[in-house]
Amino acid sequence: RKEEELDSKDAIILHQFSRPRNGVPSLSPFCLKMETYLRMADLPYQNYFDGKLSPQGKMPWIEYNHKKVSGTEFIIDFLEEKLGVNLNKHLGPHERAVSRAVTKMVEEHLYWTLAYCQWVENLHETQKMVSLFGPFSDLLKWIFCHLTKGIVKREMYGHGIGRFSEEEMYTLMEKDMRTLAGLLGDKKYLMGSTVSTVDATVFGHLAQAMWTLPGTRPERLIKGELINLAMYCERIRRKFWPEWHHDDDNTLYESEESSEASKTYSPLQDFSFYSRTETFDEEGNSISQTPDTDYTGHSLFDSDVDMDEYRDHEQCK
């Protein structure tokens, strides 16, 4: 395929994996983290689903004014320096230290246990979500998923966490998720009432448990005992991803007894250029859109999931 020439002058080009088939923006927690961060920081960007890794072999990565940057931490540092954005300016030194500690726990520890669940234990379901097209798409998906499974197992063994038994790995995963639930408590976001960079990180990873691991232990945990984490994920999804819809918007969560036949997914819209502050309607007229409004302009500010709604849903079941 002849590669398309990209002009990254004064525009953020976000390279990431293709959208999966289940309506979730990405099966990669780091890609979802990066795109969510751009939305939280209100930075217009253009997605490029070329599947091409960065020179360091990383995904996602960005181009800005022909400068290539990979690694989500370095990308965020770069954007803060070049564009003057800072989601953490309201945090004190102690809160910044806690945020970094939580980020490293999630990205260097929790990530691997969720990756094991996604690409090893739950590989059959993950294969259904992978988006590949063409005459040999099914074969290519099978090859891709099993190659990824081997890579994940090998890298987990090198990391050290893969040398434990499956039960021991899930014990570690549960401890991490309980730590996040305890830190969040009844707050709106991890560091209080205002979103910060750590929320993009945590959301990118917990969203995998919420929406890409049906019937698994992480999903049962986040939608059961650690319900405040599920509410937190819903809160961020509705605020910063107004076009991301799924079947259960009118109820709250999928019940474990739901049959596969009852699950249908609406594809997530792909924006050739995305900005939360200026969007066009179907007739080409400019409409105002902020993180607190959907594409019709209606407010989503009061759409946060609360515990009373959850209890009502459970009683109905």
Side-chain angles (χ1 to χ4, degrees):
R1 179 174 72 85
K2 183 178 179 181
E3 292 192 6
E4 180 181 341
E5 194 69 29
L6 292 177
D7 181 9
S8 66
K9 179 175 171 50
D10 297 327
I12 300 171
I13 309 298
L14 176 61
H15 295 258
Q16 62 170 314
F17 297 114
S18 299
R19 301 288 196 208
R21 300 178 63 181
N22 66 331
V24 175
S26 181
L27 293 176
S28 163
F30 293 98
C31 289
L32 183 53
K33 166 193 174 178
M34 196 66 249
E35 191 168 1
T36 301
Y37 171 84
L38 291 172
R39 292 175 176 229
M40 288 178 172
D42 199 13
L43 295 175
Y45 64 94
Q46 180 176 348
N47 275 315
Y48 198 60
F49 302 106
D50 55 354
K52 182 180 179 181
L53 300 178
S54 72
Q56 294 82 9
K58 292 284 190 178
M59 187 73 89
W61 56 286
I62 69 162
E63 291 180 80
Y64 181 78
N65 286 341
H66 306 290
K67 170 74 173 179
K68 298 179 180 180
V69 186
S70 68
T72 56
E73 184 172 353
F74 292 116
I75 292 173
I76 291 172
D77 290 344
F78 173 82
L79 294 175
E80 288 181 352
E81 179 183 353
K82 292 293 183 182
L83 303 178
V85 297
N86 189 349
L87 293 181
N88 298 332
K89 60 185 177 182
H90 63 288
L91 302 181
H94 175 74
E95 292 172 314
R96 289 172 186 264
V98 171
S99 294
R100 179 161 179 80
V102 170
T103 296
K104 295 301 109 179
M105 179 192 75
V106 170
E107 294 186 343
E108 306 295 339
H109 199 260
L110 177 62
Y111 163 74
W112 290 110
T113 56
L114 292 177
Y116 174 85
C117 186
Q118 186 174 58
W119 294 104
V120 180
E121 184 192 17
N122 206 45
L123 183 65
H124 181 69
E125 291 297 323
T126 301
Q127 185 174 326
K128 297 177 184 177
M129 303 176 195
V130 172
S131 179
L132 287 175
F133 301 96
F136 304 105
S137 59
D138 290 340
L139 176 61
L140 290 174
K141 283 198 294 184
W142 187 93
I143 294 173
F144 168 77
C145 288
H146 282 77
L147 284 175
T148 303
K149 174 183 177 180
I151 292 171
V152 168
K153 291 181 71 174
R154 185 180 71 244
E155 294 195 355
M156 287 183 69
Y157 190 84
H159 176 281
I161 197 170
R163 302 177 188 227
F164 296 112
S165 68
E166 181 177 293
E167 187 60 35
E168 288 171 328
M169 282 191 286
Y170 278 126
T171 298
L172 296 175
M173 177 208 69
E174 184 172 331
K175 286 183 177 181
D176 288 345
M177 292 181 67
R178 289 186 185 281
T179 298
L180 291 173
L183 178 63
L184 177 63
D186 59 359
K187 300 192 299 292
K188 190 171 185 178
Y189 301 111
L190 283 170
M191 293 293 111
S193 60
T194 305
V195 72
S196 57
T197 302
V198 69
D199 292 301
T201 302
V202 173
F203 174 75
H205 288 73
L206 291 183
Q208 308 304 317
M210 274 286 291
W211 292 293
T212 73
L213 299 173
T216 61
R217 291 172 67 169
E219 187 203 48
R220 292 195 299 269
L221 188 62
I222 196 173
K223 293 183 178 180
E225 188 176 347
L226 305 183
I227 192 66
N228 66 328
L229 293 182
M231 293 158 59
Y232 167 80
C233 288
E234 279 286 345
R235 188 174 300 123
I236 292 177
R237 180 186 69 86
R238 296 185 186 192
K239 185 177 180 68
F240 295 102
W241 289 89
E243 80 281 13
W244 173 1
H245 302 288
H246 61 80
D247 291 349
D248 235 5
D249 279 345
N250 295 326
T251 53
L252 187 64
Y253 302 120
E254 192 81 37
S255 65
E256 293 183 6
E257 293 80 13
S258 298
S259 65
E260 285 295 323
S262 67
K263 298 181 182 180
T264 58
Y265 300 103
S266 301
L268 186 75
Q269 299 175 22
D270 286 339
F271 290 90
S272 58
F273 189 76
Y274 180 86
S275 172
R276 291 194 287 110
T277 54
E278 186 172 354
T279 304
F280 295 89
D281 61 20
E282 293 180 355
E283 297 179 356
N285 300 315
S286 178
I287 60 174
S288 175
Q289 183 175 340
T290 72
D292 293 328
T293 60
D294 60 18
Y295 65 93
T296 65
H298 294 114
S299 174
L300 293 173
F301 183 78
D302 297 323
S303 66
D304 291 349
V305 181
D306 56 33
M307 188 60 77
D308 290 337
E309 183 182 352
Y310 173 73
R311 292 195 186 100
D312 292 343
H313 172 64
E314 288 298 302
Q315 289 174 0
C316 289
K317 288 202 298 182

